[in-house]
Amino acid sequence: MSFVKTKDGTEIFYKDWGTGQPIVFHHGWPLSGDDWDAQMMFFLAKGFRVIAHDRRGHGRSSQTDKGNEMDTYAADVAALAAHLDLKNAVHIGHSTGGGEVARYVAQYGGGGRVGKAVLIGAVPPVMVKSEKNPGGLPIEVFDSFRAALVANRAQFYRDVPSGPFYGFNRPGAKVLDGVIDNWWRQGMQGGIKAHYDCIKAFSETDFTEDLKKIDVPTLVMHGDDDQIVPFADSAPLSIKLLKKGTLKVYPGLGHGLCTINADVVNPDLLAWIQS
């Protein structure tokens, strides 16, 4: 198993397969690099070098009780990129991972490290409702996440994937039990303290200035039936802030589109990366 140790002693687990142009995958909350299986295999077969790490406190990385916020997440990615000496990498982030990509590329993306970026169902610009963000979700939504996590994490990690995450609560949806089980497995592998802290990180971090600073081509992909990161208050707002942004909207698709709609998402990603 491969790890990189950060400045504060946290060990970040990563997978690094293949050769060619590197693609770095940043997972959502509360998952791990395993959430990118469908993309890792697809792009590996296309001749890319594919890398996926487990965010601190998630998956196989250290279950730290500190540093569970976006600045440290981005610094951890920078440590990984330096360790692997990545150049001209494509950074792809889903949900919370999209916020991590925005912060990393804005702060550490210079010097040829980053070639392109992709935000999929991503949390930027900011999720929580405020005077500046009247279309956001009320803080009570995220407070309920924290309460459910503390009360019974194992049950909460069943309820999320079996319902809104993949849209399995929609009429006529084909429910995939294995996908639900795999989400639960990934979530329970991480640490509850890090997952608790990460709710604040993904919901309250304002990425407006990060998006403005990004100067590499950036693809924003989002399903318009996303029940976790509502479309109207995310992708259309992010695209206005990006210097070189491209928006791709998927009618009727939900939050977990990289897994259950990989046959649609993967070819679109490939075409854009190669463009």
Side-chain angles (χ1 to χ4, degrees), residues 185-208:
R185 176 191 67 85
Q186 291 177 71
M188 294 305 294
Q189 195 173 25
I192 188 171
K193 177 61 164 63
H195 290 176
Y196 185 94
D197 292 349
C198 189
I199 294 172
K200 180 180 178 68
F202 74 65
S203 64
E204 297 183 41
T205 303
D206 189 339
F207 298 97
T208 299

Side-chain angles (χ1 to χ4, degrees), residues 166-193:
Y166 295 107
F168 290 156
N169 56 347
R170 293 304 196 207
K174 181 183 178 181
V175 177
L176 302 172
D177 291 334
V179 169
I180 296 170
D181 291 345
N182 191 43
W183 201 101
W184 184 90
R185 176 191 67 85
Q186 291 177 71
M188 294 305 294
Q189 195 173 25
I192 188 171
K193 177 61 164 63

Side-chain angles (χ1 to χ4, degrees), residues 186-257:
Q186 291 177 71
M188 294 305 294
Q189 195 173 25
I192 188 171
K193 177 61 164 63
H195 290 176
Y196 185 94
D197 292 349
C198 189
I199 294 172
K200 180 180 178 68
F202 74 65
S203 64
E204 297 183 41
T205 303
D206 189 339
F207 298 97
T208 299
E209 296 306 316
D210 299 291
L211 295 170
K212 290 178 180 178
K213 289 178 184 176
I214 295 173
D215 59 6
V216 298
T218 303
L219 176 62
V220 179
M221 309 172 85
H222 216 109
D224 71 0
D225 191 35
D226 193 322
Q227 299 175 67
I228 302 296
V229 183
F231 171 77
D233 196 50
S234 49
L237 304 183
S238 291
I239 208 71
K240 292 178 181 178
L241 298 168
L242 290 162
K243 297 173 184 175
K244 301 176 182 177
T246 300
L247 179 61
K248 178 73 174 179
V249 182
Y250 293 95
L253 297 194
H255 193 61
L257 70 173

Side-chain angles (χ1 to χ4, degrees), residues 8-200:
D8 69 359
T10 300
E11 292 192 323
I12 303 297
F13 170 84
Y14 67 92
K15 294 177 275 191
D16 179 8
W17 306 337
T19 58
Q21 184 180 13
I23 302 177
V24 184
F25 295 97
H26 305 244
H27 64 80
W29 175 94
L31 305 172
S32 74
D34 292 354
D35 201 44
W36 292 105
D37 283 356
Q39 286 68 46
M40 295 278 283
M41 293 298 287
F42 177 85
F43 284 99
L44 182 64
K46 298 295 182 182
F48 289 87
R49 179 184 178 186
V50 293
I51 299 154
H53 67 290
D54 294 354
R55 187 172 301 114
R56 65 168 53 212
H58 296 65
R60 290 140 292 201
S61 293
S62 300
Q63 291 195 10
T64 177
D65 66 342
K66 58 188 177 183
N68 301 305
E69 33 72 24
M70 283 295 166
D71 282 342
T72 304
Y73 294 159
D76 291 347
V77 176
L80 176 63
H83 176 70
L84 298 178
D85 194 26
L86 301 181
K87 301 290 175 59
N88 193 35
V90 180
H91 284 263
I92 301 178
H94 174 246
S95 196
T96 300
E100 182 177 274
V101 167
R103 181 60 50 92
Y104 166 74
V105 175
Q107 292 191 354
Y108 302 96
R113 288 257 185 237
V114 178
K116 291 184 175 182
V118 184
L119 310 178
I120 306 176
V123 298
V126 60
M127 287 194 74
V128 74
K129 183 177 182 177
S130 66
E131 289 185 8
K132 292 196 302 180
N133 187 42
L137 295 172
I139 189 68
E140 289 79 11
V141 171
F142 305 107
D143 288 342
S144 72
F145 287 2
R146 282 181 274 262
L149 186 74
V150 171
N152 190 335
R153 181 167 67 131
Q155 185 60 49
F156 186 44
Y157 287 0
R158 284 280 183 216
D159 296 341
V160 174
S162 62
F165 196 93
Y166 295 107
F168 290 156
N169 56 347
R170 293 304 196 207
K174 181 183 178 181
V175 177
L176 302 172
D177 291 334
V179 169
I180 296 170
D181 291 345
N182 191 43
W183 201 101
W184 184 90
R185 176 191 67 85
Q186 291 177 71
M188 294 305 294
Q189 195 173 25
I192 188 171
K193 177 61 164 63
H195 290 176
Y196 185 94
D197 292 349
C198 189
I199 294 172
K200 180 180 178 68

